[in-house]
Amino acid sequence: MEYFEDNPEIFAALVAAIAILGGLLGSVIGARIQANGGRDQAAAAREAAQIAAEAQRVAALWTVRQVQVAELIRTANALIEMCDRLWLAGGDELAGQLTAASAAVSSRWNEVRLIVTEKVEEAAGELARSAIAVEENSQQNAPVIHARNHLARIVGDDQNVANEIAEIVAADEDAQDRSRALCNIIPGLSEEHAYHYVAFHRISSMGIMQRTNRVRHDFNEALSALVREAREMLRAQDDVAPAPATQRRRWRHRSALLS
């Protein structure tokens, strides 16, 4: 201390040097802290962006799945409703519409299978197959029932005509020839009704109804299974859509900032 008292200019220079070194050290430490803080902020921003992007992807996928499955169900139900109308009314125009509606179900099924889970894919495929089975059964058997009902109304209780019809149906001839012969003895009978009556006379009406009830039951079962699997996939039991993962706060020890 006496040395510095005797040499105040040296003491002043030393104090100034210490102040400069302290300022430099403080600047280095401050810059280090600022740099680390900037890296943390950038990393946090990247993590937040990734979380937001993933949440957006999940939400978009959920929406597409929900829309596509619902549309498959809608087209399948529309096909079944048209089949019911065919049994009630019949007609070539409605039959053509059924073919188009069946193709729409197949198209929707191919779209659904690309984006859903494996269980929903299987359930959706079974729904499409069962709906098409209902359509095919309706196209084949509804005209037969219509023909039998129409012929029964024309013939009534005339047993002689009924015997003639039985002979024509049992004849060993081509179905087209037998249907034309049937039209010759029954005025007002269309060739379409005559053909369906003759060509499928071996199939009982009871057998047709049993087949129809079976394919319709299979469709209802497939529809219930798809709804059940789709609700599981879409987490329909949850009150809200699943929230994205919570962003973790980045706490770092002060000593790490200084390292």
Side-chain angles (χ1 to χ4, degrees), residues 48 61 176 181:
L61 179 60
Q176 293 286 357

Side-chain angles (χ1 to χ4, degrees), residues 135-191:
E135 181 260 334
E136 291 175 345
N137 176 73
S138 300
Q139 295 268 39
Q140 176 179 343
N141 292 318
V144 177
I145 298 299
H146 287 313
R148 291 175 181 179
N149 292 339
H150 184 71
L151 191 60
R153 287 193 296 269
I154 294 176
V155 174
D157 296 330
D158 192 329
Q159 194 61 42
N160 293 328
V161 175
N163 291 334
E164 288 186 71
I165 293 173
E167 292 179 3
I168 292 173
V169 170
D172 187 17
E173 296 180 4
D174 181 78
Q176 293 286 357
D177 294 334
R178 286 180 289 160
S179 63
R180 281 192 289 269
L182 196 59
C183 289
N184 290 334
I185 68 168
I186 304 178
L189 181 65
S190 68
E191 292 185 5

Side-chain angles (χ1 to χ4, degrees), residues 51-67:
I51 292 173
E54 177 62 15
Q56 185 176 12
R57 184 194 69 81
V58 171
L61 179 60
W62 188 97
T63 300
V64 171
R65 283 175 166 176
Q66 189 271 340
V67 170

Side-chain angles (χ1 to χ4, degrees), residues 22-244:
L24 290 174
L25 180 59
S27 297
V28 171
I29 293 174
R32 187 67 176 272
I33 293 174
Q34 186 176 7
N36 288 336
R39 285 195 295 269
D40 284 347
Q41 290 179 352
R46 286 194 299 271
E47 184 177 355
Q50 291 172 355
I51 292 173
E54 177 62 15
Q56 185 176 12
R57 184 194 69 81
V58 171
L61 179 60
W62 188 97
T63 300
V64 171
R65 283 175 166 176
Q66 189 271 340
V67 170
Q68 291 287 12
V69 172
E71 190 62 19
L72 172 62
I73 292 174
R74 186 195 68 79
T75 54
N77 280 329
L79 176 60
I80 300 304
E81 291 174 2
M82 293 178 66
C83 289
D84 291 342
R85 286 161 48 196
L86 184 66
W87 284 99
L88 293 174
D92 292 338
E93 181 178 356
L94 184 56
Q97 293 174 359
L98 270 173
T99 301
S102 179
V105 171
S106 297
S107 178
R108 286 294 177 186
W109 148 238
N110 286 325
E111 294 176 4
V112 165
R113 66 190 300 190
L114 297 175
I115 58 171
V116 296
T117 60
E118 183 175 349
K119 288 185 178 180
V120 176
E121 178 188 0
E122 293 176 357
E126 187 58 35
L127 177 72
R129 285 188 290 272
S130 63
I132 292 173
V134 172
E135 181 260 334
E136 291 175 345
N137 176 73
S138 300
Q139 295 268 39
Q140 176 179 343
N141 292 318
V144 177
I145 298 299
H146 287 313
R148 291 175 181 179
N149 292 339
H150 184 71
L151 191 60
R153 287 193 296 269
I154 294 176
V155 174
D157 296 330
D158 192 329
Q159 194 61 42
N160 293 328
V161 175
N163 291 334
E164 288 186 71
I165 293 173
E167 292 179 3
I168 292 173
V169 170
D172 187 17
E173 296 180 4
D174 181 78
Q176 293 286 357
D177 294 334
R178 286 180 289 160
S179 63
R180 281 192 289 269
L182 196 59
C183 289
N184 290 334
I185 68 168
I186 304 178
L189 181 65
S190 68
E191 292 185 5
E192 179 186 4
H193 280 149
Y195 177 80
H196 281 97
Y197 188 89
V198 169
F200 302 99
H201 73 281
R202 296 183 182 277
I203 304 175
S204 68
S205 296
M206 179 63 69
I208 291 176
M209 290 298 100
Q210 289 176 344
R211 165 68 179 171
T212 300
N213 291 335
R214 184 167 61 253
V215 295
R216 186 60 180 267
H217 175 269
D218 291 343
F219 171 79
N220 291 334
E221 290 292 312
L223 177 59
S224 297
L226 175 57
V227 171
R228 183 170 58 252
E229 294 298 342
R231 286 175 58 84
E232 180 69 20
M233 177 186 67
L234 299 173
R235 301 183 63 175
Q237 297 297 334
D238 296 348
D239 292 334
V240 294

